[in-house]
Amino acid sequence: SGSANLLLLGWGSTYGPITAAVRRLRRVGEGVAQIHLRHLNPFPANLGEILRSYEHVLIPEMNLGQLATLLRAKYLVDVRSHTQVSGMPFKAEQLATIMQEIIHVP
């Protein structure tokens, strides 16, 4: 995890907005990391270890949070889900704001 204490985990259509939000925060010196799953079954062998190595894990999902639910159940980790079911894609600015809030919670 290096100097990052926040991991953004995505899959599917969230790749673009997550990547743009991570770049935005890295440009201002924030320590954030990103992984993008190519498939959900089976999960990558080291995923639990990766999730446990970050203080915060945020999962933007274009649904009601099913991936976060699966990860919590399988790995017993506290992941935060940010869901959107409007049919519109996430905006990088919106994700960057949420990430900033998580990083800077006292």
Side-chain angles (χ1 to χ4, degrees):
S1 71
S3 63
N5 70 353
L6 171 62
L7 170 69
L8 259 75
L9 185 148
W11 73 285
S13 67
T14 60
Y15 179 78
I18 288 174
T19 300
V22 166
R23 281 188 190 135
R24 184 179 292 220
L25 287 191
R26 285 179 179 164
R27 270 196 299 266
V28 296
E30 297 289 5
V32 296
Q34 169 187 5
I35 58 175
H36 201 76
L37 300 176
R38 291 179 187 225
H39 50 81
L40 301 181
N41 190 19
F43 283 129
N46 63 341
L47 185 57
E49 181 183 331
I50 292 169
L51 294 175
R52 285 187 283 276
S53 70
Y54 289 90
E55 186 177 343
H56 305 284
V57 177
L58 177 64
I59 305 173
E61 295 190 68
M62 298 295 295
N63 55 42
L64 298 176
Q66 287 92 328
L67 178 56
T69 300
L70 290 172
L71 294 173
R72 285 185 197 112
K74 182 165 179 68
Y75 300 111
L76 302 177
V77 292
D78 182 25
V79 299
R80 289 177 73 158
S81 182
H82 178 70
T83 62
Q84 183 168 300
V85 290
S86 65
M88 298 298 291
F90 284 109
K91 293 188 175 5
E93 182 177 344
Q94 167 194 20
L95 292 178
T97 299
I98 293 162
M99 293 161 60
Q100 290 273 29
E101 291 169 1
I102 292 171
I103 292 169
H104 296 289
V105 167

